[in-house]
Amino acid sequence: MQLSRFFLPILKETPKEAEIVSHRLMLRAGMLRQQAAGIYSWLPLGWRVLQKVEQIVREEQNRAGAIELLMPTLQLADLWRESGRYDAYGPEMLRIQDRHKRDLLYGPTNEEMITEIFRSYVKSYKSLPLNLYHIQWKFRDEQRPRFGVMRGREFLMKDAYSFDLDKDAARLSYNKMFVAYLRTFARMGLKAIPMQAETGPIGGDLSHEFIVLAETGESGVYCHRDVLDLPVPDETVDYDGDLTPLIRQWTELYAATEDVHDAARYEREVPEAKRLHTRGIEVGQIFYFGTKYSDAMKALVMGPDGSERPIHGGSYGVGVSRLLGAIIEASHDEAGIIWPEAVAPFRVALLNLKQGGADTDAACARLYAALTARGIDVLYDDRDERPGAKFATADLIGIPWQVLVGPKGLAEGKVELKRRADGARELLTPDDVVARLTAPVSA
RNA sequence: CGGGGCAUAGCGCAGUCCGGUAGCGCAUCUGCUUUGGGAGCAGAGGGUCGCAGGUUCAAAUCCUGCUGCCCCGACCA
């Protein structure tokens, strides 16, 4: 992508409504446009990152055996009357009417709808287990949206729903999502800690929140420091195998949100030097809720013994759009965002330090063609700007690698390769830069 | 939902107390110069001062009502 033809409305100054760093940087980097409190347009740069994050979530859901579908944003109120949540949900639910005066709502979550789909088709225990998910925009009419995408009213969420014959089987489904979440967040460069959590209006008696530690987070948390250093399973993890040891490893050390914090147990189990009380950003939450919805909505399957029984359910959410805020909170400096490679909107920023110079223009054109031909996403800054402005832009939008092409280096046949994360620079020939960036592991 | 604050050019702000030609910086456009960390000079364009009503010869400024946005708290898959 040539920057001169891209749409990247960066801001030199911070809009005054933005208080926390991720919100400020998303606005300054031209990722977001606020349309109303908690409602945003995703500008091209932000949209690219959102899609990268979404794709990682999708890949890990698929790997764990969940199956993607897509449900609508609008739902009939009748569905929610069946579960009893139409009245229970309260003013956070955005309620609307169509031209026929039928009550609709903009979905804040999809337990009812997925249960309706499930019960229409699945009649036998032989079809279980089943885990269906979608990645769709949700709406919650928050009393106080804040911090940009961290607490929006319209937000992108991955929500998965598992269906099992009994509690033991449901626990296996729960464990799969638990492990999938460990992998999902780790792939984005995040350290997300599973913590015991309240089940809230979803109901049920087993739940973990996945929390990224950050001072700007909205949740207070208590945990054992060693939980921060636990290993995340790699992509060879066998989801059909026994995940129990892995789950035990991740749950035996104390880690809880303040809502369910047990001070006595914390002090008993966690040595003083290992105690960590801080704040965090909730990026995912998993629930086992048993037969709460299958009872109310008659989602029954025939068991092996010939008797009908309600399925045991769980639901598993990831705040996809919120993750962008969490990643930036965890990875930035004074100059701007530092994207982990896995979610970066472009992998390489190619900076022509003397736009219009015959040598630099030609060298950039060759590099751009070579890198692009090898499938690398390159943002070529070909604007008629001075070097300083290009450096500032590249740093602000956080592209992992910068290739600096200027007359100084070219005199010796070299260009500079700079890593955004630590500022490390190397003088290389253009060919070596291409080789380096196409090497299998370059981080 | 309780408390606090803000609203003037695309962005950041001054002007409001004490009514009298709507300003500054950045950004934008034109020209020239400049080119390794957000350039310089010269010129130009851009505003129903959030909305509605009121007071007044005269309202960004005073009064009344409303709306939007932000922050703290409560709330929150």
Side-chain angles (χ1 to χ4, degrees):
Chain A
M1 178 62 66
Q2 289 171 252
L3 185 46
S4 63
R5 300 182 188 174
F6 195 49
F7 182 64
L8 183 70
I10 58 171
L11 305 173
K12 257 189 183 173
E13 284 172 285
T14 305
K16 66 177 173 185
E17 74 264 19
E19 194 70 15
I20 68 168
V21 66
S22 58
H23 190 197
R24 285 204 300 262
L25 288 174
M26 288 181 88
L27 293 171
R28 286 200 51 214
M31 298 175 64
L32 285 182
R33 169 79 186 169
Q34 180 166 355
Q35 307 292 163
I39 300 179
Y40 295 88
S41 291
W42 292 80
L43 303 180
L45 195 75
W47 177 234
R48 288 178 79 101
V49 179
L50 189 65
Q51 289 179 98
K52 290 272 177 75
V53 169
E54 177 182 336
Q55 184 57 21
I56 289 174
V57 172
R58 175 177 290 118
E59 287 170 8
E60 293 304 326
Q61 289 294 289
N62 292 347
R63 196 195 303 278
I67 301 166
E68 186 171 14
L69 47 67
L70 182 60
M71 292 177 270
T73 53
L74 294 180
Q75 308 187 22
L76 279 174
D78 289 345
L79 205 49
W80 286 68
R81 293 192 174 106
E82 260 193 76
S83 71
R85 287 208 293 178
Y86 189 66
D87 293 326
Y89 215 93
E92 268 193 30
M93 178 185 282
L94 181 63
R95 297 153 206 262
I96 46 191
Q97 279 193 338
D98 67 11
R99 65 198 297 163
H100 306 294
K101 304 274 188 261
R102 290 195 76 176
D103 292 325
L104 299 169
L105 56 102
Y106 191 136
T109 175
N110 286 63
E111 279 83 4
E112 283 79 0
M113 187 173 283
I114 198 73
T115 301
E116 189 279 330
I117 291 171
F118 176 89
R119 73 179 176 194
S120 305
Y121 300 111
V122 181
K123 305 295 181 190
S124 163
Y125 76 96
K126 292 177 185 170
S127 304
L128 303 182
L130 183 63
N131 185 326
L132 299 171
Y133 78 98
H134 72 161
I135 300 171
Q136 176 64 290
W137 295 94
K138 304 293 187 295
F139 196 96
R140 293 181 193 171
D141 202 356
E142 297 278 353
Q143 295 175 20
R144 189 183 162 210
R146 63 183 123 173
F147 301 152
V149 298
M150 300 289 244
R151 180 167 293 279
R153 291 196 290 168
E154 186 181 62
F155 58 98
L156 189 61
M157 180 167 78
K158 184 284 300 181
D159 39 325
Y161 304 91
S162 66
F163 302 89
D164 284 283
L165 189 61
D166 56 34
K167 184 168 184 174
D168 289 344
R171 181 63 203 236
L172 298 180
S173 294
Y174 184 92
N175 289 351
K176 287 182 187 179
M177 287 292 108
F178 189 106
V179 172
Y181 277 28
L182 290 176
R183 285 193 43 73
T184 299
F185 301 126
R187 280 186 64 187
M188 298 169 192
L190 289 174
K191 225 178 238 303
I193 312 298
M195 302 202 177
Q196 289 178 38
E198 265 191 335
T199 55
I202 291 285
D205 56 9
L206 175 61
S207 179
H208 286 88
E209 283 184 13
F210 286 73
I211 305 268
V212 174
L213 302 185
E215 284 305 318
T216 47
E218 291 187 276
S219 320
V221 298
Y222 296 82
C223 71
H224 192 300
R225 280 183 193 278
D226 289 355
V227 79
L228 296 171
D229 300 318
L230 290 173
V232 171
D234 67 23
E235 70 279 359
T236 62
V237 63
D238 178 11
Y239 282 101
D240 293 321
D242 184 8
L243 297 174
T244 326
L246 197 51
I247 303 295
R248 187 178 306 124
Q249 180 186 33
W250 275 92
T251 52
E252 66 190 357
L253 291 172
Y254 189 89
T257 62
E258 65 191 357
D259 298 331
V260 297
H261 178 56
D262 177 345
R265 197 191 136 200
Y266 181 62
E267 282 158 31
R268 187 171 65 245
E269 291 183 7
V270 186
E272 205 153 343
K274 295 287 191 181
R275 286 177 198 164
L276 180 59
H277 172 39
T278 179
R279 302 186 68 76
I281 301 160
E282 180 198 340
V283 291
Q285 185 165 15
I286 58 179
F287 298 87
Y288 162 71
F289 49 69
T291 58
K292 177 178 160 97
Y293 297 94
S294 51
D295 281 335
M297 298 182 64
K298 306 261 185 315
L300 310 174
V301 296
M302 192 69 79
D305 59 358
S307 69
E308 272 194 330
R309 59 188 82 172
I311 62 90
H312 286 249
S315 70
Y316 314 91
V318 169
V320 177
S321 45
R322 175 183 286 181
L323 272 167
L324 273 73
I327 292 168
I328 294 171
E329 289 293 327
S331 184
H332 68 272
D333 62 17
E334 309 71 37
I337 302 168
I338 304 172
W339 290 116
E341 291 214 22
V343 301
F346 295 93
R347 181 135 176 272
V348 176
L350 175 61
L351 309 194
N352 187 343
L353 301 184
K354 187 168 184 179
Q355 197 68 40
D359 294 346
T360 48
D361 284 6
C364 283
R366 278 196 302 273
L367 269 167
Y368 181 64
L371 291 168
T372 304
R374 285 164 177 75
I376 296 177
D377 268 335
V378 181
L379 183 63
Y380 172 23
D381 192 342
D382 60 340
R383 295 173 302 168
D384 187 19
E385 290 284 353
R386 294 164 58 90
K390 297 194 178 188
F391 293 136
T393 298
D395 287 347
L396 173 64
I397 65 176
I399 310 301
W401 297 95
Q402 297 175 10
V403 177
L404 317 180
V405 179
K408 245 194 236 173
L410 277 187
E412 304 165 30
K414 300 285 182 63
V415 298
E416 204 167 3
L417 179 64
K418 177 187 157 192
R419 185 160 57 194
R420 173 67 180 92
D422 58 7
R425 298 157 180 262
E426 276 184 281
L427 268 177
L428 300 167
T429 66
D431 286 347
D432 285 344
V433 166
V434 174
R436 182 69 70 81
L437 291 171
T438 47
V441 178
S442 48

